[in-house]
Amino acid sequence: QVQLVESGGGLVQPGESLRLSCAASGFAFAFSSYVMSWYRQAPGKERELVAGFTGVGGTTNYADSVKGRFTISRDNVKNTVFLQMDSLKPEDTAVYYCNAINPRRQTYWGQGTQVTVSS
C-alpha cells in the first residue's frame, strides 16, 4: 500500500524557514522512477503546484511565487523528497501536499502538513 507521509510543517514568522519532508513507502516501482512534487492549498483557493521534478531526472520547476525562496530535493536511498522553504511570507500559508506519479501515470497524495506564516 502506497503511503506518502509529510512532516515538518508548523507556525513560523515571516522571513523564517521550514523544511518539509515526504517519506514514501509501499511503492511498486523504484522510488527513483517516480515524479515527485509538492502542492499547496490555501483556504478558499484551489490546490496549486509549488515545486516539482519534471521527470525522473534532476530537472525541477517552481511556481513563480516561490522561485528563489523554495528548493525541492530528493533522496532516492531514503525514499524521501524535501521542500526547503526560506524567506517565508504570510501568503505561503497553506496545507502542503506531497504528490507522486509512477511510470504508469498513477497519482498518489499524502495527507498534507499545515504551514502557517504569521507574526
Side-chain angles (χ1 to χ4, degrees):
Q1 180 176 343
V2 173
Q3 277 196 317
L4 298 173
V5 180
E6 301 100 332
S7 61
L11 171 63
V12 296
Q13 295 188 345
E16 294 185 338
S17 299
L18 279 175
R19 190 190 194 208
L20 304 184
S21 299
C22 172
S25 62
F27 279 3
F29 303 92
F31 178 75
S32 59
S33 68
Y34 285 71
V35 176
M36 302 298 297
S37 302
W38 285 96
Y39 285 73
R40 69 185 180 188
Q41 188 166 19
K45 295 188 177 181
E46 293 187 354
R47 191 172 297 189
E48 63 173 353
L49 175 67
V50 176
F53 291 93
T54 57
V56 296
T59 304
T60 56
N61 66 307
Y62 296 90
D64 288 342
S65 59
V66 307
K67 281 182 181 176
R69 300 188 298 120
F70 290 13
T71 304
I72 188 172
S73 61
R74 65 192 296 166
D75 184 332
N76 289 334
V77 174
K78 295 183 178 180
N79 292 1
T80 303
V81 63
F82 305 97
L83 185 67
Q84 177 66 41
M85 305 186 295
D86 298 321
S87 302
L88 283 161
K89 304 176 180 181
E91 50 264 42
D92 295 318
T93 295
V95 177
Y96 284 71
Y97 297 91
C98 180
N99 172 271
I101 302 175
N102 72 12
R104 293 179 180 169
R105 307 301 296 172
Q106 294 169 309
T107 300
Y108 303 94
W109 293 93
Q111 83 288 348
T113 185
Q114 176 71 47
V115 171
T116 303
V117 185
S118 175
S119 55

